[in-house]
Amino acid sequence: MPDLDTALSAIDAAIADPDSGTRTVCGHCGTALAGSPSDDFCTEECQTAWLAEHAAGPDPVDNGAGPDRDLAEQDPARPMPYMPAPPPPPSGAQILDKVAAFVSRFNVFPSEHCAATLALWYAHTHAAEHFYVTPRLILDSAEPGSGKTRVLEVAQFLVRSAEMTLSATTAALFRLVSDGPITILFDEVDAIFNPAKGGNTEDLRAMLNAGYKRSATIPRCVGDARAMKVERFKVYAPVALAGIAGHMPDTITTRAITFHMRRRAPGETVEPFKERVVERQATPLRDKLATWVASVGNQVGDAEPEMPEGVTDRAAEIWEPLLAIADAAGEHWPATARAACAYFVASNSNRGGSFGIQLLADMRRIFTQRNTDRLPSTFIIAELLEMEESDWTDVKGKPLNPRMMAKELARYDVKPTTFKYDGDSVKGYTTTGETGLADAWSRYLPTAG
């Protein structure tokens, strides 16, 4: 398009009086200029219209119209060069990496799998409502000062709606959980479940057991005698328990992932725990974790993750939420989570479990070493009492005897029988038959390696 001066020159040439050399009609509408104060246009409106038609550059995007109030605001069609595009949000794998690295700053863990497991467990608290099961987390140790409390202190700033407690009553916990969502971080729990210290802990144990599954409720009578009614309390909530080893009920440990914490060795150092500093640093990390978990909540809730070989039944139930989260995170996390799963399931299996499970396991070892299918009760007792790593010399204050052994084994449908041994008629146990040991071993013990 020609510039303004060139356009005016062309008009001058076209409409000028050939004798006088001056313009005689309007440059826009052709009306005579007689009486117009302008040498080029008859009116100001014609001048404005002509300038608009011949101005350089494209027409305005909105053609001069006002803003449409009914249209929602939207980003410009082209990014503004002075506003760089925001960075993409961190991936689930990156967030879990940061959580694992964060908790490792304040504890020396007994295994490389602990920090990753904590990151996954913390993540699952933000999506517990999507899972049918919430695994218990147990932190035990042989002695105080092994880092159990420190794990909970850091966890309170990473899990969802943390409730740190030492000795809350069962009734208070009922209310807290029922009003949830909440994550209970229970320290010094050995002081509650230690039978030597007395007290009725059955209600608390029942709550922790039942609250492992989402559908669980516990009915309680509430109100005064005139208006008594039954209220069903929801007890489903993530729970972490810390205490000295040996005092936790088996019904809780079988629903848990257990860390056997240890005191730091000379030369092992950690960062000091300063609550306000840790809270300030952990809060944005927790918010990112919660945001990511919320974005995959339905996905992980519907997932059926593949289990490592040999992980079945309750162990699989415990680990399903964590493996589902690891699969959603991607990168190295699916493999990392399954390695941790295999490690902790095998570790807990090797520790023997209940009194009866330990007895079955030690008896299987004796029968295997002797390569026999039958042994007298007296011989078995003598061998058990010689095992230095097992405490059969002190069962409720006295050594194990045939009567105690028979009573315990009867729970597994194993009963003593009479048979010939070295030419004599003796009472003892066999591996075969309906009441033999082999069936109990296959049902309650991991496959012998």
Side-chain angles (χ1 to χ4, degrees):
M1 179 176 290
D3 59 36
L4 184 60
D5 291 337
T6 303
L8 289 173
S9 297
I11 293 175
D12 289 342
I15 64 175
D17 186 305
D19 296 327
S20 65
T22 60
R23 186 181 294 112
T24 60
V25 296
C26 175
H28 177 67
C29 67
T31 302
L33 290 177
S36 173
S38 170
D39 294 333
D40 301 306
F41 302 99
C42 62
T43 62
E44 185 177 351
E45 286 77 7
C46 278
Q47 178 179 336
T48 300
W50 187 92
L51 290 173
E53 291 174 358
H54 292 81
D59 291 338
V61 172
D62 60 1
N63 296 315
D68 188 338
R69 306 282 182 189
D70 295 330
L71 290 178
E73 292 185 3
Q74 54 186 338
D75 293 334
R78 292 178 299 170
M80 297 182 181
Y82 55 86
M83 292 181 62
S91 67
Q94 291 171 329
I95 295 172
L96 291 176
D97 285 342
K98 290 180 179 179
V99 174
F102 188 83
V103 299
S104 296
R105 290 166 49 189
F106 306 99
N107 273 96
V108 174
F109 293 108
S111 164
E112 62 180 336
H113 302 291
C114 292
T117 302
L118 287 178
L120 293 169
W121 194 85
Y122 297 163
H124 111 280
T125 67
H126 294 278
E129 67 274 13
H130 291 282
F131 300 112
Y132 181 59
V133 161
T134 170
R136 273 54 181 115
L137 177 66
I138 291 179
L139 308 161
D140 71 13
S141 66
E143 295 291 338
S146 300
K148 303 182 299 298
T149 299
R150 183 56 41 82
V151 173
L152 298 186
E153 288 175 330
V154 176
Q156 67 180 314
F157 301 117
L158 294 168
V159 301
R160 180 182 185 180
S161 304
E163 179 68 30
M164 284 277 288
T165 184
L166 290 174
S167 58
T169 65
T170 305
L173 289 177
F174 271 134
R175 287 294 182 184
L176 287 171
V177 173
S178 185
D179 294 339
I182 191 175
T183 302
I184 298 174
L185 306 176
F186 212 136
D187 200 7
E188 298 185 13
V189 73
D190 55 291
I192 296 175
F193 288 114
N194 188 345
K197 297 186 178 181
N200 182 8
T201 62
E202 183 57 29
D203 281 350
L204 178 60
R205 185 191 66 81
M207 175 185 170
L208 295 175
N209 288 346
Y212 160 78
K213 292 190 174 180
R214 188 176 59 198
S215 59
T217 61
I218 292 183
R220 286 289 183 270
C221 291
V222 296
D224 56 31
R226 296 179 181 178
M228 188 73 68
K229 65 176 182 178
V230 175
E231 184 173 342
R232 289 175 173 82
F233 290 90
K234 296 179 180 179
V235 290
Y236 177 72
V239 178
L241 304 154
I244 300 299
H247 301 306
M248 198 74 64
D250 292 336
T251 53
I252 296 177
T253 58
T254 57
R255 292 167 166 83
I257 300 168
T258 301
F259 289 12
H260 302 288
M261 301 293 288
R262 302 177 300 188
R263 284 184 179 175
R264 296 198 308 272
E268 293 180 333
T269 60
V270 295
E271 291 186 28
F273 178 82
K274 297 181 179 179
E275 184 174 13
R276 283 183 292 182
V277 174
V278 173
E279 181 178 11
R280 185 173 63 250
Q281 294 175 349
T283 297
L285 185 55
R286 179 194 60 212
D287 292 344
K288 291 177 182 178
L289 182 65
T291 299
W292 173 71
V293 171
S295 71
V296 297
N298 290 330
Q299 173 188 342
V300 298
D302 294 335
E304 296 182 2
E306 181 180 350
M307 292 290 152
E309 185 177 357
V311 178
T312 60
D313 301 327
R314 178 157 288 176
E317 192 175 56
I318 289 170
W319 277 91
E320 183 172 286
L322 307 194
L323 295 185
I325 289 173
D327 288 345
E331 296 185 16
H332 69 91
W333 278 95
T336 296
R338 284 166 175 79
C341 172
Y343 170 81
F344 282 110
V345 171
S347 175
N348 289 341
S349 296
N350 291 338
R351 289 186 176 257
S354 67
F355 175 86
I357 295 297
Q358 293 177 31
L359 181 58
L360 286 172
D362 285 347
M363 289 180 69
R364 184 171 68 178
R365 191 195 317 180
I366 294 171
F367 274 78
T368 301
Q369 290 173 345
R370 295 292 172 175
N371 192 25
T372 182
D373 65 349
R374 61 192 61 203
L375 284 171
S377 298
T378 53
F379 182 90
I380 296 171
I381 292 291
E383 291 286 304
L384 290 171
L385 296 177
E386 289 293 323
M387 290 183 174
E388 295 182 358
E389 68 275 20
S390 298
D391 198 16
W392 300 116
T393 58
D394 184 11
V395 179
K396 297 181 180 180
K398 55 185 177 180
L400 183 70
N401 59 50
R403 184 181 294 276
M404 295 164 60
M405 182 170 65
K407 183 177 180 180
E408 185 63 28
L409 292 175
R411 297 172 54 228
Y412 304 94
D413 294 324
V414 175
K415 298 179 181 179
T417 185
T418 302
F419 52 83
K420 290 287 186 179
Y421 187 81
D422 288 341
D424 296 324
S425 181
V426 298
K427 201 159 191 175
Y429 294 87
T430 65
T431 60
T432 58
E434 293 183 0
T435 59
L437 287 158
D439 183 65
W441 289 339
S442 68
R443 295 177 185 275
Y444 298 103
L445 301 182
T447 302

